Amino acid sequence: ALERTLSIIKPDAVSKNVIGEIYARFEKNGLSVVAAKMMQLSQEQAEGFYAEHKERPFFNDLVSFMTSGPVMVQALEGDNAIAKNRELMGATDPQKADAGTIRADYATSVDANAVHGSDAPESASREIAFFFEDSELCPRG
Ligand code: CMP
């Protein structure tokens, strides 16, 4: 089915200057950017985005990492976009990520793991709405 998913290129990957390399992987694998913005997340934004992890021991480190530099936020559209993006990203822990995935190639740790991607349709809707107005989404079909 045609789906949308929320993707974030995290501060480590932005700082490695690989936004374009990561976009190329999306585009070569049937995902199209339908909205995008580069931004420096505030602490409030990072805490709000990751609210579901508030009680996890890694929450403070996660928020501090995600506010350590600019991120590139995009909504991706394509057939099975949510699973496709997760396949392209690889496992959360880059040490466990399959060869050839974004995290295997660009990530260095569980925190500095290059990219975020929504894990389910409900989180995709919520996460896209967190960053984008409906009017900012440009359907590609
Ligand atoms: P992300 O997909 O952005 O969602 C939550 C993030 O928390 C995750 O990627 C990791 O970067 C980070 N994180 C840090 N420690 C852990 C952990 N032990 N388990 C899961 N996620 C973690």
Side-chain angles (χ1 to χ4, degrees):
L2 191 67
E3 288 177 343
R4 288 177 182 165
T5 190
L6 194 277
S7 159
I8 302 177
I9 301 178
K10 297 187 180 187
D12 58 321
V14 170
S15 131
K16 286 181 178 144
N17 217 22
V18 293
I19 294 171
E21 305 273 346
I22 293 173
Y23 270 36
R25 291 174 184 228
F26 296 151
E27 294 180 342
K28 283 178 187 149
N29 288 280
L31 298 177
S32 300
V33 175
V34 294
K37 61 177 82 165
M38 193 169 196
M39 53 197 299
Q40 168 66 54
L41 295 180
S42 66
Q43 182 165 335
E44 291 68 28
Q45 284 173 315
E47 288 176 351
F49 182 75
Y50 282 120
E52 66 185 303
H53 295 305
K54 207 166 47 213
E55 308 303 330
R56 309 284 288 276
F58 57 81
F59 183 71
N60 287 346
D61 285 345
L62 174 62
V63 168
S64 133
F65 175 68
M66 290 300 287
T67 56
S68 67
V71 295
M72 189 74 192
V73 184
Q74 44 283 326
L76 303 174
E77 184 180 87
D79 198 40
N80 291 317
I82 297 166
K84 171 60 71 178
N85 182 43
R86 292 181 69 79
E87 182 186 316
L88 295 176
M89 291 193 298
T92 304
D93 178 352
Q95 312 284 14
K96 297 178 183 150
D98 288 342
T101 60
I102 294 169
R103 284 166 170 160
D105 290 345
Y106 301 120
T108 51
S109 72
V110 171
D111 280 308
N113 68 348
V115 279
H116 166 83
S118 309
D119 64 1
E122 307 71 48
S123 43
S125 303
R126 174 171 48 76
E127 291 176 0
I128 290 170
F130 187 90
F131 287 112
F132 298 106
E133 303 289 338
D134 279 350
S135 63
E136 293 180 294
L137 298 164
C138 303
R140 304 278 293 271

